[in-house]
Every structure is written in structure tokens, then in C-alpha cells.
Amino acid sequence: MFAEELKAFRRLGVRGVLVQLLNFASVIASGLMMWKGLGLLTNTESPIVVVLSGSMEPAFYRGDLLFLTNPPNVPYQTGDITVYKVPGSPIPIVHRILETRGIVRNAPKSAIAQDVADGQKSAVLRAVEGQEVEQLLLTKGDNNPIDDVDLYNGLDWLERRHVVGKVRGFLPYIGYVTIAMNDHPNLKYLLLGVLGLFALIQRE
Amino acid sequence: MNANLNGLLEGKIDFEGQKLVETITRVALVVLSVISFIVGFALQSLQVTFGIFSAGSIALVLLIVPPWPIYNSHPVQWLPSLPPTSSSIKS
Amino acid sequence: MHSLYARLNNFSAFLSSCLMGLLAAIALSSFLFTAEPKGELTLASVKVFPGSSRRMPTVKQEFTFVNFNISADLTPLFHWNTKQLFVYLQAEYVDSKGVQNDVVLWDSIIRRKQDAVLNIAGRNKYVFRDLSRSFRNAQAANYTLRYNLMPYVGVLTYGEAGRTSEPVPFPEPETVS
């Protein structure tokens, strides 16, 4: 059955095979460019995420797709749905902001200039000239009875730098494929195998 | 028996049929999308929209995928085969 | 288009494009609905009680209890692309250090148009405390009723449905004997 495909390969020659690989690589590269470009536009490392848990039901179910933005230097508000990552825990969590507070940090002028340059991670609200206010957040999942403090790995409040972005848009069901593949890794290998086979067999 | 199964799985239709199927697919899907959006919007129900869209898609699949005889009504006219001559074998 | 597979392939590819277009159209149609319903929010009482933090029982803390009345008709927000309405009552105040604090005291999820007429006398669902553990020098608070419209597909929108007419100051803590 593969004799015909192998013959086609031999006809292509080394350069032919290399050109195929180059096509393959350029498809992957442009996909990666678009993803990273979108990340730059929205100022977040992960502009599109899939909902993994049921803690935001009935709004978000497992497998829904969320579109995030992270506007720099704009304070987050209560009611915003944020995706955040607690240090020490690799899984991002999608929950709604329950409280916003702030603490004042007295900072000399040079330090402020430094912070603004480093810029994107900490949202700085100017309370008084010469002082900075750092935002502190408390979150809670709509479907959870209590707030998230137990999830913060020792912290009492989330800081702006822990937040990946806030949810602006929503698309249902589409992400279910990624969840199915995570729950059944054999599916992932099967899909990759089939795609690889097709990529090799097709000549266009 | 094997040849029959292969023929069945391949579902060949002639060239006129292929053109027809292509046109039907494009036009019908666009019209279906527009109609399901408009009717759903008028009735303010997303269920209506997706109901019409799914029903229409299934009907469309049944219409264009199986090799109905209509698609085979212009079979290719092959020229009559020529008897082999000794000059063509030499090269 | 010469085989079953080719026709099916072609069909499903075009089907996905049409489906994406349909979803985009539905998401865009949300922008045609620009209702901004307004309701009324009044506070029946605001009281401050001393107590202890639930996580560290030896630490003293002041808690504020709010009883409120809400009446609002949010039905204009329900259109074909409205999946649910997340309604929440929040207190906005400037604390003793001069920093803006927003605290959500109560929330509710509305999933059907019939349930969207609110006539509620409630009290805060969530603990209302201050970072400095005392409300003594906090400025008067504005209480607002806000909502988040979550669509079936598209952009999430926010709005404000009511506000107390003037800022409500925090009273002195009650003495508990």
C-alpha cells in the first residue's frame, strides 16, 4: 500500500523532501508568529485560554474558549473575570474579582522611574506625588461558596503581577478537543500520528 | 465483490455532476447560514438558529455526498479504442 | 469532488467557515442591543461590629453589616445572545490611607428573563472588612448595583444599574458587652 508513496518520495529526491520540510516548518512558524503577535497586542502571555474547571458555572463550562487582554496601567475592577497564576502553582485559574484594595508604597523618584520602565507587570496608581499604590485583589469563583484565599499558596491577596489577563470575549465548546486530549493522552498521539501521515502522503 | 465495494466507497460522479455538486454546496450553505441567522434573530432564539442550521446541513449532506444518478447523467464520451499498431510498440 | 471522501471533505471545510461566520454575526448582533436599565438602591442599615478574623482568631477586626433594598427591572438586557446576567452589589470607599477600595457584598446569577425583575431586601453575603482592620477613619462609601452580561458568543459587557444617592458614612463600632 505504501509502495506508491515511497516511489513518489524517491522521485522527489533529497531537495524535494527538504522543500516539503521547509513548507511544513514555515506553516508552523507562521502559526507561532500569529500567536505571539496576538500576545503582544493584548499584552498577555496567553491571549486565548480553555476553561479547565467547573468553578465558574453556569457561565463557563469545561471546554469553553476565553479571550483575554491585560491593559497595562489600567487598574482591575471588581466584577472583572481574571485568569491568574499563583507562584508555586502552574495551573492558571479563572475567577471573578471580589475585592480590590491597595497599599501605599513610599518610593523615591528614581525608583518610580524604574518601575514605569519595567512597566507592564505592576499596575501603578498614583495616589500622591512620590507615592505608589499597588493594587491587591481577592477573587472567587461564581460556583464556589467561599473566596480563593486558600488557593493563594500563603498569600493573603493577589497582586497585579499574578494576573495573566481579564476575560473580554467568549466562545463555547470549541476548546473541548484540548481537554479530551489531556484526559486521554492516547488520543493526542493518535491525532499527531494521523496528521503526520497525511502531511507525508499529501504532495500539495 | 471487492471491485463492487470499492466502486461503492468511491462514489464516482461525472464532471457535470461534480460542477453541479460544487455549486449546490456553496450556494446552499451560504443561504442556510443567512436564513438561520435571520429567522433566529427575528424570533430572538439561538436554538432556532442552530436547529435550522443543523437540519439544513444534514439534508445537504444527504443531497450531495451519495452518488445520485442525476449526477451521472452526462457520462464522459470516450473515443473508440484504436487497434495497436507495430510502429507504436517500437519506441 | 470525484469521490465520497472528496465531497465530504469539501463540504465540512465550507461548513466550518459558514459556522464561524454565523458565530461572528451573532456576536456582532449583541452590539445592537444597547439597553441600560436603571433601578433603585437604598440602604436600610449600616452597622459596624468588632469581632475576630476567621483565620486568626486572636486578631481583632471590625466587620460592617449592611442591609439593603434593591428594586430594578433588568429584563431589557435579555436578548437572544444573553446567556446569563451576573448582578453584584459593591461598596466603594476610600480607606484611612487614602486608597480606593471596592468590595463586593452580594451577588446573584440571573439566567432567565422572568427572573430579571429584582425586588430584594438583603444583607451582605460576604464579609465586609478593611485592610487596616478598622473602619474608623474610612471615608463615606458609595454603594452601587452593577451587572455583567455574559453572552452565548462574543464580548462580555458591564453596566451599572443603581447607586445610593449620597455617600453613606461608616458608623462607630457597636459595643458588644
Side-chain angles (χ1 to χ4, degrees):
Chain A
M1 184 170 79
F2 283 120
E4 213 179 281
E5 274 74 21
L6 284 175
K7 243 190 279 179
F9 259 130
R10 232 166 275 148
R11 240 185 302 149
L12 282 176
V14 178
R15 292 188 83 189
V17 173
L18 286 177
V19 168
Q20 286 285 75
L21 285 175
L22 202 64
N23 282 332
F24 194 58
S26 72
V27 168
I28 295 189
S30 42
L32 200 63
M33 279 197 290
M34 287 198 284
W35 175 255
K36 288 298 177 186
L38 192 63
L40 277 178
L41 196 70
T42 54
N43 191 37
T44 163
E45 62 180 23
S46 200
I48 305 181
V49 294
V50 175
V51 177
L52 293 173
S53 75
S55 55
M56 279 295 282
E57 292 183 13
F60 302 151
Y61 290 92
R62 270 164 61 91
D64 292 339
L65 218 61
L66 303 175
F67 297 92
L68 310 177
T69 62
N70 184 25
N73 298 329
V74 170
Y76 278 104
Q77 295 186 318
T78 49
D80 286 348
I81 305 174
T82 56
V83 176
Y84 64 88
K85 275 211 285 229
V86 184
S89 178
I91 311 169
I93 303 176
V94 186
H95 281 170
R96 199 185 287 269
I97 295 182
L98 195 68
E99 297 181 13
T100 66
R101 307 215 182 249
I103 47 173
V104 176
R105 293 197 200 287
N106 271 320
K109 282 237 163 75
S110 51
I112 297 178
Q114 176 78 23
D115 247 351
V116 173
D118 288 343
Q120 297 177 321
K121 290 288 179 171
S122 57
V124 173
L125 308 161
R126 301 222 175 288
V128 177
E129 190 59 52
Q131 291 189 321
E132 302 167 6
V133 177
E134 193 175 323
Q135 212 178 21
L136 299 175
L137 308 169
L138 180 67
T139 58
K140 172 182 165 298
D142 289 351
N143 210 19
N144 291 346
I146 53 169
D147 57 34
D148 289 349
V149 181
D150 296 325
L151 295 171
Y152 290 168
N153 263 345
L155 295 171
D156 280 329
W157 303 94
L158 275 185
E159 289 162 41
R160 182 57 192 272
R161 62 191 169 90
H162 299 132
V163 177
V164 172
K166 72 173 162 180
V167 178
R168 303 306 301 274
F170 171 79
L171 206 56
Y173 311 124
I174 309 277
Y176 205 79
V177 185
T178 59
I179 290 194
M181 294 211 287
N182 262 323
D183 290 345
H184 308 276
N186 298 321
L187 214 65
K188 210 191 314 190
Y189 300 135
L190 187 69
L191 191 69
L192 281 176
V194 168
L195 279 178
L197 210 67
F198 271 128
L200 290 175
I201 293 177
Q202 304 276 54
R203 243 166 293 141
E204 53 224 348
Chain B
M1 178 59 166
N2 207 11
N4 250 343
L5 192 65
N6 249 345
L8 213 64
L9 280 179
E10 218 181 320
K12 270 212 182 99
I13 56 177
D14 62 48
F15 293 116
E16 289 298 314
Q18 289 178 29
K19 226 189 324 185
L20 187 62
V21 164
E22 172 103 24
T23 323
I24 291 180
T25 313
R26 292 202 185 286
V27 171
L29 271 178
V30 171
V31 168
L32 183 67
S33 311
V34 171
I35 289 184
S36 48
F37 179 80
I38 291 180
V39 176
F41 189 77
L43 294 175
Q44 282 290 298
S45 163
L46 273 186
Q47 276 190 328
V48 166
T49 298
F50 286 108
I52 296 180
F53 194 77
S54 324
S57 308
I58 294 177
L60 201 59
V61 170
L62 290 174
L63 182 67
I64 58 159
V65 172
W68 300 110
I70 327 159
Y71 301 134
N72 268 319
S73 46
H74 301 277
V76 179
Q77 300 295 338
W78 297 107
L79 294 174
S81 55
L82 302 168
T85 60
S86 44
S87 49
S88 57
I89 298 176
K90 250 195 214 154
S91 50
Chain C
M1 306 298 274
H2 49 88
S3 67
L4 283 180
Y5 173 74
R7 290 197 287 280
L8 204 56
N9 200 8
N10 184 293
F11 172 80
S12 51
F14 199 56
L15 183 76
S16 320
S17 312
C18 284
L19 196 61
M20 283 201 294
L22 189 62
L23 289 177
I26 296 173
L28 288 175
S29 76
S30 278
F31 290 109
L32 295 174
F33 300 94
T34 52
E36 280 187 27
K38 292 284 178 231
E40 267 185 30
L41 169 63
T42 52
L43 296 189
S45 71
V46 180
K47 294 204 176 87
V48 178
F49 282 96
S52 44
S53 142
R54 65 186 151 140
R55 287 199 166 79
M56 295 173 289
T58 48
V59 174
K60 293 250 177 290
Q61 191 158 42
E62 280 174 17
F63 298 100
T64 300
F65 294 92
V66 179
N67 282 301
F68 54 85
N69 288 311
I70 297 177
S71 82
D73 179 12
L74 300 175
T75 46
L77 293 170
F78 273 88
H79 50 78
W80 73 331
N81 198 17
T82 305
K83 184 168 176 177
Q84 74 176 41
L85 223 49
F86 185 86
V87 182
Y88 53 108
L89 179 95
Q90 67 179 27
E92 306 166 356
Y93 68 101
V94 180
D95 68 15
S96 43
K97 305 271 180 15
V99 179
Q100 176 75 24
N101 282 222
D102 293 345
V103 183
V104 172
L105 301 174
W106 172 90
D107 56 35
S108 169
I109 294 178
I110 304 177
R111 302 179 72 180
R112 301 178 309 166
K113 195 170 187 167
Q114 303 98 291
D115 303 332
V117 181
L118 298 176
N119 260 314
I120 299 180
R123 47 170 294 181
N124 50 315
K125 227 176 171 184
Y126 303 115
V127 174
F128 189 1
R129 56 206 158 112
D130 185 81
L131 211 55
S132 66
R133 306 207 183 108
S134 164
F135 286 98
R136 229 169 259 281
N137 292 319
Q139 296 180 23
N142 275 311
Y143 293 81
T144 54
L145 183 70
R146 312 195 78 235
Y147 57 82
N148 176 201
L149 195 159
M150 308 175 79
Y152 280 108
V153 82
V155 179
L156 274 66
T157 51
Y158 290 84
E160 187 177 291
R163 178 173 264 271
T164 48
S165 41
E166 20 172 73
V168 178
F170 291 101
E172 285 296 309
E174 313 257 327
T175 42
V176 181
S177 47

